[in-house]
Amino acid sequence: MNYPIYLDYNATTPCLPEVVEAMLPFFSQHYGNAASKAHPFGWIAEDAVENAREQVAGLIGAKSKEIVFTSGATEAINLAIKGTFAFFKGEKQHYISCQTEHKAVLDTLEAIEKAGAEVTLLPVDEKGCIDLETLKSHIQEHTKMIALMWANNETGVINPIKDIAKIAKENGIIFFTDAVQAAGKIPVDLAGIHLMALSAHKFYGPKGVGALYIRHNHHLPKPLPILEGGGHEKGFRSGTLNVPGIIGMGRAAEIQSKSMLEDAAKLGILRDILENELLGLEGVYLNGSQENRLPHVSNIAFDGVEGEDLLRSINKKIAVSSGSACTSISPKPSHVLAAMGRNNDLGRASIRFSLGKFTTAEDILQSVNHVKTVLERLRK
Amino acid sequence: MRVYLDNAATTAMDDRVIEAMLPYMKLHYGNPSSVHSHGRQVRSAIEKARKKVAELLNASPSEIFFTSGGTEADNTAIVCGIATYGIKHAITSPIEHHAVLHTLEECAKKGSVKLSLLDVNTKGEVDLGQLEELLQANPNSLVSLMHANNEIGNINDLMAIGELTRSYGAFFHSDTVQTIGHYVHDLKTLPLDSLVAGGHKFHGPKGSGFLYVKKDRKIHPFIYGGAQERNMRGGTENVIGIVGVAKALEIAYEDMNGHRTHVEALKKRFMGLLKENIPGVEFNGLSADLGKSLYTLLNVSLPPSEENRGMLLFNLDLNGISASGGSACSSGATVGSHVLRALGHDPERESVRFSFSRFNTNEEIDYTVEKLRELYGVSV
């Protein structure tokens, strides 16, 4: 089948051919269980996993022992939040996050809130930015965690991570960041971060594998495991390791450590062309901010059209989404755009364009033309 | 010669499973939650996989939830079964897999349930009379008893246990990781509330499994964030893993009797040759009883020997034979098998779990016996 132009790299990315190549032998000949200690099938799998751990650590500048592999970022996020909540069980607990976080964070926070935690969700301004003074004002004696994402999945807006880390440090609070959209796309610096969630399929690795970075050598507690069993991953995450998936994540991390800057430079130019062309049209607005933003993302609101019609028409030639893929089946407008004060109609008639490695200038020109045609037709 | 007899730890993937997965790595890479055609194509593959699994197990597709593997599925059924039904008492046996045992111990530690462990005799059999007494005292219990033990192969009578638990209204979960794909499960007649599978135990991929939960026994989600798996399991689906697990199950059902005949013959041959050639050889649990144990597994207890004390697995490996002392999940630990300990196994004897698959041959069995004979100094 012929697929449309793909501009939904924030939802998922294709596996790089090199990544598939690296995984294949671990499907076929090297099929050992990485926990089998008595024979080479196990040793080969384990060595390969440890190599992948170093590659993933390398991408974010961590030590390999600080990487815990999971079935994906959502599980990593659940581990970070629920695992921390479990550690402090019995104490009064307060968590600070933000209204524009990914559902994986918001839903997990809701779950611990039901179990007795206090949760504060910071508001954002019309550009999607939090206010650091507001953050500070919400910190309490019993605040256990600040959970703020590195970059927003819908708008690409980047949080002031260094400043947040500083505030967390001054107050002795765990800083957890969902870096799913940033890692492998832009350099991330771990200074002041205690926990970080990563997802392989957002940086050209396979689906079904992710990691939680857990900082070592500091006095704040590490999360307790949420999955019990054989005690894999130093007890942080039980369950037979997804060896091929982990190898794929490692290889993708290694490739992206080398090529992300080049990718980002190219994609920034293409994105700007797309964005400027569209913003030049009447009744077309940017969601979010042009500063402090991922170079490959643009979220645009279209006035005078109905959201569902718009998305359906655009999707005929360009694969894009109106927000997070995880919630795209829901008819409600994006909670991110709502938090930024977009009214319902404009919020629903918003499109997230996210570019990636294989996006070409031709793709962008065709996309601009297609969007223009759709707009003209729908506005008639 | 390299002989892999550790199929209870993990199995080699069937080439047809790899073939089925490849297009979803290379070509169909969309996020199944995306509404555009990249997403829809992949969504339909997942739903087809779910339908296939349901059809083979005689369940409804709405009762099948894909997970990152058996451990996650066990954790989900147990933790969420307890939470959903306000269960205050759980019953299991000391020879369950750690994914069950540690999960229940953790629930007990947190105070959510009181945990009762059934007694097991030296053959690893549980006493259903004792189970009934416990159920009489605590009708609203969660009972978790595995279908077949991963170390000694003992098969529990799910029908009898299920009917008993059902007559008291208890929640019955079974860890069926070692039997799915090797035995037929008819979920329209089996009286259990949940069971689990890990794809890599039946020539499918690691990192992918599923949980079955009976329609009228709905449970809360375990991993939050996103509406995937009908709100039961947040996180972008491991598409290739799901496609692979369904394909592997399909292949398993295509010729289950043929595979069984082949593998059972290997086990019989192995057992016969060992008895003939190694004086003092014994078999742990019920694994020598073909009617009451897995046809895929034989747990061999060898007489005390200076040369092999603590070195038998190592010596086997030097001779090209891969086997294990017990569960791979804990084979890194030096604590020994909790299963054999519960059976009161003589620590002077060396025990090895040999586990077979349809890829093993008579020659491999003969070779293994020959090497064991050499290791035990039995003159040829």
Side-chain angles (χ1 to χ4, degrees), chain B residues 19-235:
Chain B
E19 283 304 309
M21 291 163 68
L22 276 178
Y24 294 90
M25 271 191 262
K26 292 179 168 170
L27 195 57
H28 309 303
Y29 55 81
N31 185 322
S33 297
S34 295
V35 293
H36 46 66
S37 55
H38 286 82
R40 289 199 313 269
Q41 171 80 16
V42 174
R43 161 70 44 214
S44 112
I46 291 180
E47 294 316 318
K48 248 191 238 161
R50 194 189 314 281
K51 230 177 120 196
K52 179 48 83 183
V53 169
E55 184 189 302
L56 295 170
L57 301 180
N58 202 11
S60 142
S62 66
E63 296 174 318
I64 305 295
F65 303 94
F66 291 110
T67 67
S68 69
T71 295
E72 185 195 318
D74 274 327
N75 273 260
T76 305
I78 293 171
V79 173
C80 304
I82 287 171
T84 309
Y85 294 100
I87 291 170
K88 297 280 176 242
H89 182 254
I91 305 168
T92 189
S93 104
I95 62 169
E96 289 287 310
H97 190 276
H98 281 153
V100 166
L101 209 50
H102 286 171
T103 303
L104 280 169
E105 283 165 3
E106 197 55 36
C107 292
K109 210 171 93 190
K110 285 180 181 150
S112 61
V113 287
K114 188 181 163 291
L115 180 60
S116 299
L117 292 182
L118 297 172
D119 299 327
V120 291
N121 64 19
T122 56
K123 287 285 173 194
E125 293 169 293
V126 292
D127 176 5
L128 294 193
Q130 188 193 12
L131 173 61
E132 178 147 30
E133 279 167 31
L134 284 166
L135 286 169
Q136 272 165 358
N138 316 275
N140 186 27
S141 288
L142 178 130
V143 176
S144 185
L145 288 170
M146 66 207 317
H147 190 189
N149 187 278
N150 54 307
E151 297 195 28
I152 53 175
N154 287 23
I155 294 181
N156 277 320
D157 184 348
L158 292 187
M159 200 56 113
I161 299 168
E163 277 165 6
L164 187 60
T165 51
R166 184 160 288 178
S167 68
Y168 287 91
F171 190 105
F172 179 32
H173 169 68
S174 185
D175 171 0
T176 48
V177 163
Q178 292 291 343
T179 57
I180 293 279
H182 303 288
Y183 292 82
V184 171
H185 296 79
D186 178 357
L187 292 170
K188 286 281 182 295
T189 53
L190 267 182
L192 44 76
D193 296 310
S194 54
L195 62 70
V196 307
H200 74 104
K201 304 289 191 190
F202 51 95
H203 309 291
K206 294 176 184 60
S208 178
F210 59 84
L211 167 68
Y212 156 87
V213 184
K214 200 163 201 57
K215 240 186 225 130
D216 50 13
R217 274 294 207 174
K218 288 200 170 61
I219 59 173
H220 299 155
F222 185 71
I223 292 178
Y224 291 89
Q228 291 92 347
E229 296 294 299
R230 305 183 304 292
N231 288 315
M232 255 294 280
R233 203 266 182 191

Side-chain angles (χ1 to χ4, degrees), chain A residues 8 31 35 82 207 229 328, chain B residues 6 29 33 36 102 206 222 331:
Chain A
D8 203 9
Y31 54 83
K82 288 200 279 191
K207 295 176 184 62
S328 59
Chain B
D6 201 8
Y29 55 81
S33 297
H36 46 66
H102 286 171
K206 294 176 184 60
F222 185 71
S331 57

Side-chain angles (χ1 to χ4, degrees), chain A residues 313-372:
Chain A
S313 308
I314 292 184
N315 269 343
K316 283 188 180 140
K317 282 199 183 157
I318 322 167
V320 290
S321 77
S322 56
S324 158
C326 301
T327 44
S328 59
I329 9 195
S330 138
K332 285 182 279 184
S334 143
H335 71 282
V336 173
L337 300 184
M340 288 157 60
R342 275 283 180 232
N343 70 43
N344 272 355
D345 287 346
L346 262 188
R348 266 197 293 266
S350 288
I351 299 290
R352 174 185 72 181
F353 298 89
S354 50
L355 287 56
K357 237 181 178 35
F358 301 109
T359 307
T360 61
E362 181 59 28
D363 289 341
I364 294 303
L365 298 179
Q366 281 190 27
S367 298
V368 168
N369 285 337
H370 179 61
V371 174
K372 280 182 181 167

Side-chain angles (χ1 to χ4, degrees), chain A residues 73 81 174 185 209 215 351 374:
Chain A
I81 295 174
I174 296 168
K185 314 278 181 59
V209 57
R215 188 184 199 84
I351 299 290
V374 166

